[in-house]
C-alpha cells in the first residue's frame, strides 16, 4: 500500500514517460483514502491544473509555442545555464507551502537543461551558480522526487499511439525523430534528478497498476524523512 502523500512530490520524466498518468494514479489512490491534494505543472510554484493530461491541456496555442521553442532552441542553447538558473531561482522565491500535499508534474528548468545538455557528448557540467540554485530549491521545497525512465522502444510505441489518436505534440515529434538523442535527453534528466534532488527512479515500462503501486510505494518509503515516519 502507498504511504501517506509527502508534503511535496515532484514527478519528472521525458515525453511519453507517463508523468501525468503516474501523477493522476497517485492522486486517485490517495483521494480514495481521504486525502485532499493539489496538482501543479511545470514548477513548484506553478498554477494548479486539473486531471486532464498535459497533451489535452495544450491546445493549438500551446503546440504552436512548443514548435516556436524548438525552432529557436539552437539559437538560445548557449543561454541555457542562465535561463535555467533564473527559472529555478524564481520558482524558489515564489514557492509557498500549501495547506495540503502537492503533486508537481515536471519542471521547466530541468526539462530545459535535459534538452540542451543531454544530446551533447559528454554533457557539460552544471555551472556552480546553477548547482547552488538547484540545491537551494530542494532545501526550500523539501520535495520528494521521482523520475521516470522508459526504454527507447516503449517511448516510440507510446508516441506512435499518440500520432494515431491525434494527441501528438511537437515535443513528441522531436523525441520520435532521433531515438538516440531522446535516450540521451532522458539519461541526463535522470542523472540530474538523482544528483541534485535525490530522486528515486522508476522504470515505467508498461507496468500494471499493481506493479506501479508497488514501485511507487517502495520509492516513496525510501525517501520519507524520519520526521514524517514518526507522524
Amino acid at each position: 500500500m502507498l504511504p501517506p502523500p509527502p508534503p511535496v512530490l515532484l514527478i519528472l520524466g521525458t515525453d511519453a514517460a507517463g508523468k501525468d498518468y503516474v501523477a493522476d494514479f497517485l492522486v486517485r489512490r490517495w483521494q480514495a483514502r481521504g486525502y485532499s491534494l493539489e496538482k501543479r505543472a511545470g514548477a513548484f510554484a506553478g498554477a494548479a491544473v486539473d486531471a486532464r493530461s498535459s497533451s489535452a491541456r495544450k491546445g493549438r496555442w500551446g503546440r504552436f509555442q512548443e514548435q516556436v521553442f524548438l525552432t529557436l532552441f539552437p539559437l538560445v542553447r548557449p543561454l541555457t545555464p542562465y535561463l535555467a538558473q533564473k527559472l529555478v531561482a524564481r520558482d524558489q522565491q515564489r514557492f509557498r507551502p500549501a495547506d495540503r500535499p502537492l503533486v508537481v508534474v515536471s519542471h521547466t528548468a530541468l526539462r530545459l537543461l535535459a534538452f540542451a545538455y543531454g544530446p551533447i557528448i559528454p554533457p557539460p557540467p552544471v555551472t556552480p551558480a546553477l548547482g547552488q540554485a538547484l540545491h537551494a530549491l530542494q532545501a526550500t521545497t523539501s520535495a520528494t522526487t521521482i523520475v521516470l525512465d522508459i526504454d527507447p522502444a516503449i517511448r516510440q510505441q507510446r508516441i506512435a499511439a499518440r500520432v494515431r489518436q491525434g494527441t501528438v505534440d511537437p515535443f513528441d515529434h522531436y523525441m520520435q525523430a532521433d531515438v538516440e538523442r531522446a535516450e540521451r535527453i532522458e539519461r541526463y534528466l535522470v542523472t540530474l534528478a538523482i544528483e541534485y534532488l535525490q530522486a528515486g527512479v522508476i522504470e515505467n515500462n508498461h507496468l500494471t497498476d499493481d506493479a506501479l503501486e508497488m514501485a511507487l510505494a517502495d520509492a516513496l518509503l525510501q525517501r520519507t524523512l524520519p520526521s514524517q515516519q514518526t507522524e
Side-chain angles (χ1 to χ4, degrees):
M1 177 182 289
L2 290 170
V8 182
L9 174 62
L10 174 63
I11 300 176
L12 298 174
T14 56
D15 297 82
K19 300 183 295 298
D20 270 287
Y21 181 88
V22 170
D24 293 339
F25 177 88
L26 285 168
V27 169
R28 288 195 303 270
R29 292 298 172 98
W30 279 324
Q31 286 179 336
R33 292 167 54 187
Y35 293 100
S36 175
L37 299 100
E38 181 177 320
K39 180 182 174 184
R40 298 179 182 177
F44 290 107
V49 295
D50 59 26
R52 293 176 297 168
S53 71
S54 58
S55 296
R57 285 194 302 269
K58 290 173 184 174
R60 291 183 178 179
W61 175 241
R63 288 177 170 80
F64 174 76
Q65 288 178 305
E66 288 185 356
Q67 188 58 60
V68 171
F69 169 81
L70 290 172
T71 301
L72 298 178
F73 187 56
L75 299 176
V76 301
R77 187 191 299 270
L79 300 175
T80 295
Y82 173 80
L83 294 174
Q85 180 187 341
K86 291 301 182 183
L87 287 171
V88 169
R90 182 172 182 266
D91 194 25
Q92 180 198 0
Q93 292 167 0
R94 295 181 61 197
F95 175 76
R96 297 291 182 274
D99 59 355
R100 53 181 173 164
L102 297 177
V103 177
V104 183
V105 183
S106 192
H107 197 285
T108 301
L110 299 178
R111 181 182 175 89
L112 176 63
L113 286 169
F115 269 81
Y117 285 176
I120 301 174
I121 303 175
V126 170
T127 64
L130 178 56
Q132 291 174 6
L134 289 169
H135 285 307
L137 179 64
Q138 171 65 13
T140 298
T141 61
S142 298
T144 298
T145 302
I146 290 174
V147 60
L148 306 177
D149 192 3
I150 59 175
D151 291 340
I154 300 296
R155 179 182 296 104
Q156 295 300 309
Q157 292 171 14
R158 291 178 181 174
I159 294 176
R162 292 180 180 181
V163 172
R164 293 191 297 270
Q165 296 164 2
T167 59
V168 70
D169 61 42
F171 280 121
D172 290 329
H173 284 306
Y174 185 81
M175 298 293 279
Q176 184 185 43
D178 189 326
V179 176
E180 180 57 30
R181 179 180 64 191
E183 182 64 12
R184 290 198 298 268
I185 289 172
E186 179 178 72
R187 192 178 305 127
Y188 185 85
L189 179 62
V190 170
T191 300
L192 193 69
I194 293 173
E195 181 173 354
Y196 289 96
L197 302 176
Q198 295 77 53
V201 183
I202 291 180
E203 303 288 340
N204 191 30
N205 295 321
H206 293 331
L207 296 178
T208 64
D209 282 353
D210 287 343
L212 177 59
E213 182 168 356
M214 289 180 61
L216 288 167
D218 183 61
L220 291 170
L221 284 169
Q222 288 185 24
R223 278 148 193 86
T224 299
L225 298 175
S227 60
Q228 291 174 303
Q229 292 177 339
T230 59
E231 289 180 356

